[in-house]
Amino acid sequence: MSTALQVSNLVKRFGGLVATNNLSFSLKEGESLGLIGPNGAGKTTVFSQIMGELRQNSGTIELFGDEISTLSTPQRIRAGVSRTYQIPRPFGEMSVAENIRVGLMPDNIWQMIVSPPDTRRERELALSVGFLKADLGRMPTELAMGDLRKLEMARTMATAPKVMLLDEVFAGLTTGEIAQISDLIQSMRKDGMTFLIVSHDLPALEPLIDRAIAIERGTMIAEGTFSEVMNDKAVQASYLGGV
Amino acid sequence: MGLRWFHFALWGGLIVGMLLLPQVVSNGTLRTMIFANYLAIFAISWDVLSGRTGYVSFGHPFLIGIGAYTTAILTKRFDVPVEISIPVAVLFTMIAGLLVLLPALRIRGSYFALVTLAFMELLYQLVQVIRPDLTGGTRGMSGIQTLTRGAANGYYLSTTLMLTIAVSMWLLMKTRLGTALSAIGMNEESVRGSGLSTTRLKAFAFLTSAMIAGLGGAFYVHYLGSLAPRALFDINFLFTIIVAALLGGTSTIIGPMIGAFFMTFLLEYLRPVLPGAERYFVYGAIALLLYMYQPKGLVELVRRGFKSLNKGRTA
């Protein structure tokens, strides 16, 4: 298996605060990696740097062997990496189908004008995350948090990523919705999708990942299988408050 | 967002109705409609940019002015035929549109609005001091070639221009491009997060908006036959454009048209009763009330009317 994502010696400073401290990790193609740590550990900052929403002070990010640090966010997405956000960001005055449509669009104005929307693919993506056909015309204001997360997943999947970064994908979901999203992730893993997943819901996260890394204040403190990381003394001291 | 047969039927009905109008209304009404047509063009231009992307432009008179001044100077001072001067004016306005785009790459919201307002004021000052022999300075220009004679011909020309722009923009905004531009207005970061270059999309919106403003400005000056900088680069003119778009309903193309006609006729009918600036209080109050109770504008009221008609028919 080749390396899908390689993060090397990543450093991000906000004034005097070091948010990412010489962080290195890699993800093999088809692998699922959990990124865990307490609140404020810098997990979302790592995501933002991979996506180009924040520029690192130093270090490199490679996607399938190509350095992507100089690319803009849309270019990185076209290169094959996409993310969901902790707080869903739907297009408020567009239906579920139209929200997914934006993710499916080519980054080419002429193509946007001349080729019609792929409504079949919109429906497929909506159904794959657990929406019903009747939901396609619903507006985000009518959706519960779980549905908004599903919509976020569908729009991210619409960009045809090879590597998906999922940020707190279970936050605010009911047990049933967690099971639904988990099933979706498992089925995508079987299809070869590569995942980097941040979640505070550790029981839900465990079955979805091959290994985990734990960070604290931007520094990696443990790496290994889920149980190895959770049994690590440093992790227990920082993340679990020493229990 | 899809196209339906009744959309084309409605456009067809509107086009036929507007073209038959000179047979039934007075020349005075036609002249009012000419102004409404040009206001509709300017409001559509504003809507394509600001109504869609949420980048509120206070600089549209700047774009309209570039178009108007370019063709006026070319035809009056250099005897360039209008067949050439108008396309050149549109091209110049599009280049100016790119200048307006530059701040939008870094700022948005009220800051963007203020920067674009500065563009309008800048051009007002410049036309007075730079080559007044060409621009006419503070007095402006008169004796500019007109394209039509008589109210009916002026009406047909302005109506054809306005409807061509409106239908083209309506069709364009019905495509996925329209969806993407609207998405920028809702959440620009999410559009970038969906893999789309917002810079490219915004540039397209700015250029299209500038093209319409330039085209409208050029034809408008060839209708008026004169050009007064204080009237063109005027805050009232700017707000009339914006209020027409908001009143009619932004992001719809048809809304700014309805808003432009509503406002032009409202102000015209109020003129005998309230001849002074107090007319603007009345339209301000109507705009405020409508915006409070129906922020989606007059077009939403029309849409609801059609829906209830349809319900009544199927019941």
Side-chain angles (χ1 to χ4, degrees), chain A residues 78 89 94 98 105 107 115, chain B residues 1 176 190 195 197 200:
Chain A
R78 297 295 157 199
R89 300 168 162 192
M94 286 184 186
E98 285 166 340
M105 283 186 197
D107 193 19
S115 53
Chain B
M1 284 254 181
R176 289 190 291 177
S190 286
S197 162
R200 199 180 301 157

Side-chain angles (χ1 to χ4, degrees), chain A residues 73-74 77-78 82 85 89 91-94 98 101-107 109 111-113 115-117 155 159, chain B residues 1 172 175-180 182-184 186-198 200-201 204 296:
Chain A
T73 303
I77 291 168
R78 297 295 157 199
S82 210
Y85 292 86
R89 300 168 162 192
F91 302 114
E93 288 172 43
M94 286 184 186
E98 285 166 340
R101 186 170 304 164
V102 177
L104 280 170
M105 283 186 197
D107 193 19
I109 288 176
Q111 283 302 318
M112 281 182 191
I113 295 170
S115 53
R155 206 179 63 226
T159 63
Chain B
M1 284 254 181
L172 187 66
T175 67
R176 289 190 291 177
L177 175 71
T179 309
S182 295
I184 289 181
M186 292 171 209
N187 195 327
E188 190 171 340
E189 284 308 306
S190 286
V191 178
R192 286 172 60 77
S194 303
L196 302 179
S197 162
T198 53
R200 199 180 301 157
L201 287 164
F204 185 88
K296 289 184 176 174

Side-chain angles (χ1 to χ4, degrees), chain A residues 1 4-5 26-33 163-164 189 192-196 208-212:
Chain A
M1 275 192 297
L5 182 71
S26 68
L27 257 160
K28 295 257 181 275
E29 218 175 323
E31 189 183 26
S32 181
L33 177 69
V163 178
M164 277 180 84
R189 284 180 70 196
M193 180 64 75
T194 308
F195 283 106
L196 178 60
L208 301 178
I209 56 175
D210 300 307
R211 50 192 187 98

Side-chain angles (χ1 to χ4, degrees), chain A residues 5 7 10-11 14 33 40 43 60 84-85 95 100 108 139 145 161 166-167 176 196 221-222 224 228-229:
Chain A
L5 182 71
V7 171
L10 205 62
V11 175
F14 294 109
L33 177 69
K43 306 180 293 288
T60 58
T84 65
Y85 292 86
S95 65
I100 298 171
N108 177 314
M139 304 300 281
M145 178 53 88
L166 306 181
D167 196 356
L196 178 60
I221 52 172
E228 282 168 356
V229 169

